[in-house]
Amino acid sequence: MKVNENGGVNSVQPYKKATAYSKTEKYVAGDGRTDELSISSEAMELSRDRTNAVERERVEQIKQAVQSGTYTIDVHKIADKMARYLLGE
């Protein structure tokens, strides 16, 4: 997301004051159109909790697979992603 110096982050319209517990990002396009996204503190916390739980679970699965010797690497998948990256896809 690009943030212009003109609009900045946390730009708030006078009739729409953001609370200290929310996050507001604003994007102003070159043609004057504006996109704005506000996320409440509750939504940020829920997202953070869910992401952390999913990441912890995945890390634990990988640890167990490495310890048991069953962790495998799909070399074809890695090669495919490397080729796509190098080709600019």
Side-chain angles (χ1 to χ4, degrees):
M1 172 182 277
K2 180 179 177 184
V3 179
N4 294 338
E5 295 295 324
N6 303 353
V9 176
N10 292 327
S11 297
V12 180
Q13 297 172 355
Y15 61 88
K16 232 183 181 184
K17 291 188 178 187
T19 66
Y21 305 106
S22 68
K23 181 177 180 180
T24 302
E25 292 189 28
K26 191 173 188 177
Y27 170 73
V28 179
D31 59 2
R33 293 178 298 152
T34 303
D35 291 333
E36 186 173 26
L37 172 68
S38 296
I39 303 173
S40 70
S41 61
E42 292 91 8
M44 287 190 289
E45 188 63 35
L46 288 172
S47 175
R48 189 174 315 122
D49 289 346
R50 179 168 162 41
T51 301
N52 288 341
V54 170
E55 288 174 358
R56 281 192 300 265
E57 183 179 330
R58 180 69 181 133
V59 168
E60 191 56 39
Q61 289 174 349
I62 293 171
K63 279 183 182 179
Q64 289 176 358
V66 169
Q67 289 173 352
S68 68
T70 60
Y71 183 72
T72 57
I73 298 172
D74 186 351
V75 294
H76 298 291
K77 188 175 180 180
I78 293 171
D80 183 51
K81 288 196 179 206
M82 287 176 67
R84 288 177 187 264
Y85 174 78
L86 293 173
L87 293 173
E89 293 179 8

